[in-house]
Amino acid sequence: MQKAQIPTYERIAIDLANRIYDGKFKVGEKIHGRSTLASEYKVSPETIRRAIKILEDVEIVHSTKGSGIVISSRENAYKYIQRFSNLASIKDLEKQMNSLISERDKLDEQLFDTLRKIMDYSGKLRHTNPLAPIEVEVFSDCIHIGKTISEVKFWQNTGGTVIGMKRKGELIISPGPYALIQEGDILLVIGADETYDRVLHFMEEE
């Protein structure tokens, strides 16, 4: 008989409930922030949000502005885990999660390799290929520091798409609309021929 498929966000909710029941997270303690959990599980913040919402609905955790996500009940965590005893054991879920993480790591590696190749050719292709990224540094007087790419309406104002960031020697692939712009960042942007000038003007606004 084929086992029912459990959505990724629910597998994460079950894993967190299991960790709470095992005592890795104790009642009254705070769980890591959503962005940290998203990085740990290699999923989007939206997937983590849905997982936390499940745990809130069954009163395992509660979250408030300024307080983060707080553990409410170990007993409710156990009850929630027991719901899935006929679908898959926790070990099965761990195996599935590890498999998903492994697949995501492979995809990330392929993305890194592809972006590096694009960057290698960017100098030669910048004026002929709109997919060759331009690099724009964020200086200390930039008015957009501390805001997300979505908040500043980057694409609407420049016509460019941020496909990566260099931050403190690290390369961040596909940072997404909620990535914060920080001093010293180097934005990797693709767009049409006029995009470079528009991005420079936008980042130098006063």
Side-chain angles (χ1 to χ4, degrees), residues 117-137:
K117 288 175 183 177
I118 292 174
M119 291 173 63
D120 286 342
Y121 289 105
S122 62
K124 297 178 182 178
L125 303 179
R126 179 169 297 163
H127 300 294
T128 60
N129 186 351
L131 293 181
I134 56 177
E135 299 186 7
V136 180
E137 185 172 354

Side-chain angles (χ1 to χ4, degrees), residues 15 18 20 22 74 101 106-107 118 126 152 174 195:
D15 185 62
N18 188 57
I20 292 167
D22 286 344
R74 181 172 179 265
I101 291 172
K106 289 177 183 177
L107 287 173
I118 292 174
R126 179 169 297 163
V152 302
S174 299
T195 298

Side-chain angles (χ1 to χ4, degrees), residues 26-187:
K26 300 185 184 302
V27 172
E29 286 184 350
K30 293 180 182 178
I31 300 182
H32 308 303
R34 288 181 174 84
S35 58
T36 303
L37 289 172
S39 177
E40 178 181 346
Y41 285 102
K42 305 292 184 184
V43 296
S44 69
E46 173 61 19
T47 300
I48 294 298
R49 187 194 68 77
R50 295 178 72 178
I52 295 300
K53 182 65 169 61
I54 290 175
L55 298 182
E56 288 178 332
D57 289 344
V58 293
E59 299 181 345
I60 295 173
V61 305
H62 66 273
S63 60
T64 56
K65 276 191 175 180
S67 298
I69 306 161
V70 182
I71 310 302
S72 301
S73 172
R74 181 172 179 265
E75 180 182 355
N76 287 345
Y78 176 74
K79 291 177 180 177
Y80 178 67
I81 293 167
Q82 289 302 106
R83 292 185 187 180
F84 298 90
S85 59
N86 293 329
L87 293 177
S89 68
I90 293 299
K91 290 297 181 184
D92 288 336
L93 294 170
E94 287 177 353
K95 288 179 182 178
Q96 292 175 27
M97 185 64 66
N98 288 334
S99 176
L100 287 171
I101 291 172
S102 177
E103 290 175 12
R104 177 62 184 265
D105 286 342
K106 289 177 183 177
L107 287 173
D108 284 346
E109 187 176 345
Q110 291 173 8
L111 282 171
F112 271 105
D113 288 341
T114 302
L115 186 54
R116 286 192 186 99
K117 288 175 183 177
I118 292 174
M119 291 173 63
D120 286 342
Y121 289 105
S122 62
K124 297 178 182 178
L125 303 179
R126 179 169 297 163
H127 300 294
T128 60
N129 186 351
L131 293 181
I134 56 177
E135 299 186 7
V136 180
E137 185 172 354
V138 180
F139 294 105
S140 59
D141 58 351
C142 178
I143 64 172
H144 305 304
I145 290 174
K147 299 177 182 177
T148 66
I149 293 172
S150 176
E151 282 179 308
V152 302
K153 297 183 178 179
F154 192 90
W155 180 82
Q156 293 92 330
N157 284 300
T158 68
T161 300
V162 179
I163 62 168
M165 285 181 172
K166 291 180 181 179
R167 177 174 294 166
K168 296 179 180 179
E170 294 186 1
L171 181 62
I172 303 172
I173 303 294
S174 299
Y178 303 111
L180 281 176
I181 297 172
Q182 298 182 10
E183 179 183 347
D185 283 351
I186 296 177
L187 307 183

